[in-house]
């Protein structure tokens, strides 16, 4: 990092967490622009992406890469620089700390007594939730689903009983497999796919997993995706609905796992569901 000569309107030294637009550049906040103009440098995931944003804003600042691949010594050097410099931390899009490694930098700053300031702004998970129309009084953001099929199904089964709307980030190439897994594990739960949020081709699709998967099989998606799953139904499922879920779960799980998953999703007795699962296995 190079020396920076403080100006009369320089910021107080420390770390400034700055949310950036998730697509539409008009979503940058006035406060974010002010901090980016007055800071001594910007720590970012990709200097090319952040460089385009700064150029759009008419700002020129030193930039340093900070991402998943940054080593501990790089973080230490960055923290040390904040003793007499103001550094803005940005992600490629949205709010830093949401599915990125920035929390380690914040922890180190706090351990060293470095002031930390967070600026609110765009967040794809919250924007997708607002657009989906799914219940939003309680929600759980769970990052990215695992890339392996078995781990993906196990994660969905683990979260099946959480009485909240579930929110994930997903990539376009992996969306089909994730929707197929939801169809297997949670076939009766509503899903919503928010794509290219705030951009020209923004799209929201909502429905049961089978229908949403069929749509995207016919219309392969592009861009960044927020994947949402509605909460469990408030009422206890009928025996017929529970059996449909049990049959679907038995395609990929042991009888005990399938019974546990359906019990969480429906509120029905696990022992009774296990007995029915064993009977279905022997038919």
């Amino acid at each position: 990092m190079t020396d920076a000569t403080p100006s009369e309107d320089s910021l107080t030294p420390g770390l400034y967490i700055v949310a950036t637009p998730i697509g539409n550049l008009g979503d940058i906040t006035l406060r974010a622009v002010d901090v980016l103009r007055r800071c001594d440098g910007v720590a970012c995931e990709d200097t090319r992406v952040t460089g385009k944003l700064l150029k759009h804003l008419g700002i020129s600042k030193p930039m340093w890469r900070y991402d998943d691949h940054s080593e501990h010594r790089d973080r230490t050097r960055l923290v040390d620089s904040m003793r007499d410099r103001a550094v803005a931390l940005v992600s490629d899009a949205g709010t830093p700390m949401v599915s990125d490694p920035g929390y380690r930098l914040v922890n180190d700053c706090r351990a060293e007594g470095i002031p930390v300031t967070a600026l609110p702004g765009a967040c794809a998970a919250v924007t997708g939730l607002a657009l989906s129309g799914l219940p939003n009084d309680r929600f759980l953001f769970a990052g990215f689903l695992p890339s392996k099929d078995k781990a993906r199904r196990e994660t969905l089964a683990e979260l099946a009983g959480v009485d909240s709307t579930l929110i994930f980030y997903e990539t376009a190439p992996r969306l089909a497999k994730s929707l197929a897994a939801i169809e297997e594990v949670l076939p009766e739960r509503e899903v919503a796919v928010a794509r290219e949020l705030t951009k020209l081709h923004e799209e929201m699709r909502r429905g049961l997993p089978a229908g949403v998967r069929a749509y995207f099989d016919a219309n392969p998606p592009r861009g960044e995706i927020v994947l949402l799953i509605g909460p469990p139904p408030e009422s206890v499922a009928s025996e017929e609905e529970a059996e449909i879920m049990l049959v679907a779960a038995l395609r990929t799980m042991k009888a005990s796992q399938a019974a546990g998953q359906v019990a969480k999703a429906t509120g029905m007795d696990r022992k009774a569901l296990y007995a029915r699962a064993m009977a279905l296995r022997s038919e």
Side-chain angles (χ1 to χ4, degrees), residues 188-207:
E188 300 302 316
R189 299 270 283 271
E190 267 204 295
V191 299
V193 174
R195 187 181 70 83
E196 292 289 84
L197 288 171
T198 77
K199 299 178 184 177
L200 179 63
H201 299 293
E202 176 180 283
E203 181 178 27
M204 168 61 70
R205 289 284 164 176
R206 175 176 160 180

Side-chain angles (χ1 to χ4, degrees), residues 249-262:
L250 285 170
R251 293 175 189 154
T252 58
M253 299 179 183
K254 296 178 180 178
S256 60
Q257 294 173 319
Q261 175 189 294
V262 177

Side-chain angles (χ1 to χ4, degrees), residues 122-134:
C123 175
V126 175
T127 304
L129 177 64
L131 192 62
S132 72
L134 291 170

Side-chain angles (χ1 to χ4, degrees), residues 119-187:
L119 282 64
C123 175
V126 175
T127 304
L129 177 64
L131 192 62
S132 72
L134 291 170
N136 58 19
D137 53 329
R138 293 181 64 185
F139 60 90
L140 171 67
F141 174 71
F144 284 87
L145 281 167
S147 58
K148 301 294 184 181
D149 291 342
K150 181 181 178 183
R152 186 187 293 115
R153 291 193 298 268
E154 288 176 346
T155 296
L156 289 169
E158 177 188 348
L159 297 174
V162 177
D163 188 18
S164 303
T165 293
L166 305 177
I167 307 176
F168 304 93
Y169 285 159
E170 192 51 280
T171 64
R174 288 179 14 182
L175 179 64
K177 288 187 176 181
S178 290
L179 288 173
I182 296 169
E183 187 179 355
E184 286 183 15
V185 179
L186 302 169

